[in-house]
Structure formats: structure tokens, C-alpha cells
């Protein structure tokens, strides 16, 4: 028995993390239309039974005209969040053969940046790799710090070695920004995907003479 009537509109977010059974259930709910939003490059739940091919097959079907005369494919390639310089870097990096290559759809910037949104004027590309145009007033908007783990391949704790190296690189960069380039410590934020190794970053910052404030949860100051 359908759950919804033909006037209902249902949106399914993170559609790349569904599987065929879930998709079949969604399609039999009786809604008049389904809006499925997803990105196959963000598929991370295969270990929970997600099948990114479900997303890919429907995307290819809609792109080719499909069997549903009312279906349409809309690409969300306009970015309203990041400045042009950051997007120039991302577009060049992700379009390289080492990442997504020709599969990557470049993002277009629709953000109007005023002076209050400009990158900090003292960032310099001392150890980074920049995309063409990824600078403002001759200074870098993006800096890529590469951590060299050469010689650590035989370590019993590869993850620990990697985290220690990244913590040291982050702390060293923060110290340079504060001492050599005149940043205030409150202008520096290090975002971590998890707090598992937070103490390594705290220790590295303190070793460089920088006090730090750890925030647990979804917000930071």
C-alpha cells in the first residue's frame, strides 16, 4: 500500500550511499516525484551495504534520456561557499590524473567576495603548490604542506608516525604564521576529522611555544 499520494514530493539526500533494496522501497512509496541528491565521489558507506552503482546507473540513465519522461539530471557544479582562489586550486588538484581526472566537473564560483572575505594578506607560498590564479595581490590563498614519511615504512605504528608528522607540520606552519608573518594566535584554527590524535597536535603546538584551546563538538572559536 503506497505511503504517499501522487502530490507528495520526497527528497533523498546522500543518494550515493543507498543500495538497490533501499532504492526500491523509496520508489514504491507512491510519491509523485523523487528528488535524489548525491555524489558518487563521496560514497563512504560500502561497508554498510551501500552500492554506489545504484547512483551511477540512475545518473547514466537520466543523462541518456532514460525511461522516465519526467526525469531530469541537474548538476550541482556552482559553489556559493568558497572564494575563487580556493576553487581554482581545488579544480586543478582534483582534475589531475592522480585524483579524478576527466571525471571531475570543475566547480564554478558564484560568491561575491568583498575585502572582509579576502585571504590573510601575509600568507606566502613558501612550501606549497598553487594552482594558476590561486593568489590575491601576489600572496597565496592556498598553501599545500606535504609531509614526507620517507624512512618510516618499517615502523610498527605507521598511523602514529603519520599523525606525529602531520602534527609537527601543522604546528610548524602555525608557528611560522604567528612569529614570522605577524598573525595573531586567535587567527589560526586546526580542524581535525576526529579527536583521536588531538593530544599529538596539542603537544606539537606547545613544543613550538603556542598555547592552544581544544573544542570538542561541532563548533570552534
Amino acid at each position: 500500500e503506497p505511503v504517499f499520494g501522487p502530490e507528495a514530493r520526497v527528497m533523498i539526500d546522500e543518494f550515493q550511499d543507498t543500495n538497490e533494496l533501499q532504492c526500491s522501497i523509496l520508489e514504491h512509496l507512491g510519491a509523485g516525484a523523487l528528488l535524489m541528491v548525491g555524489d558518487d565521489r563521496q560514497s563512504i558507506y560500502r561497508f554498510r551495504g551501500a552500492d554506489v552503482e545504484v547512483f551511477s546507473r540512475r545518473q547514466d540513465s537520466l543523462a541518456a534520456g532514460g525511461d522516465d519522461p519526467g526525469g531530469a539530471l541537474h548538476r550541482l557544479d556552482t559553489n556559493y561557499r568558497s572564494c575563487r582562489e580556493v576553487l581554482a586550486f581545488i579544480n586543478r588538484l582534483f582534475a589531475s590524473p592522480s585524483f579524478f581526472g576527466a571525471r571531475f566537473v570543475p566547480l564554478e564560483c558564484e560568491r561575491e567576495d568583498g575585502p572582509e572575505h579576502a585571504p590573510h594578506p601575509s600568507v606566502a607560498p613558501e612550501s606549497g603548490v598553487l594552482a594558476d590564479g590561486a593568489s590575491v595581490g601576489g600572496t597565496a590563498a592556498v598553501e599545500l604542506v606535504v609531509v614526507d614519511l620517507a624512512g618510516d615504512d618499517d615502523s610498527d605504528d605507521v598511523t602514529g608516525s603519520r599523525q606525529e608528522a602531520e602534527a609537527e607540520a601543522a604546528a610548524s606552519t602555525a608557528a611560522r604564521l604567528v612569529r614570522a608573518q605577524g598573525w595573531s594566535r586567535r587567527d589560526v584554527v586546526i580542524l581535525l576529522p576526529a579527536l583521536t590524535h588531538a593530544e599529538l597536535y596539542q603537544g606539537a603546538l606547545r613544543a613550538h611555544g603556542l598555547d592552544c584551546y581544544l573544542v570538542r563538538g561541532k563548533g570552534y572559536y
Side-chain angles (χ1 to χ4, degrees), residues 159-160 163 167 192 194-202:
T159 300
Q163 293 297 337
L192 303 176
L195 293 177
T196 308
H197 301 286
E199 71 282 352
L200 293 178
Y201 292 83
Q202 287 181 295

Side-chain angles (χ1 to χ4, degrees), residues 28 36 47 132 144 169 208:
H28 285 83
M36 300 170 173
F47 69 97
D132 296 334
L144 180 64
H208 281 270

Side-chain angles (χ1 to χ4, degrees), residues 160-179:
S161 299
R162 182 185 301 114
Q163 293 297 337
E164 290 175 3
E166 290 182 356
E168 172 58 28
S172 177
T173 300
R176 170 169 55 81
L177 294 174
V178 171
R179 296 198 174 92

Side-chain angles (χ1 to χ4, degrees), residues 99-111:
F99 283 83
F100 301 113
R103 292 178 55 235
F104 180 71
V105 178
L107 299 173
E108 299 180 4
C109 182
E110 281 296 330
R111 177 171 144 180

Side-chain angles (χ1 to χ4, degrees), residues 14-17 37-43 52 55 103:
E14 305 294 353
F15 184 57
Q16 75 279 351
D17 288 323
V37 183
D39 182 351
D40 58 345
R41 291 162 297 192
Q42 296 186 44
S43 176
V52 70
F55 175 92
R103 292 178 55 235

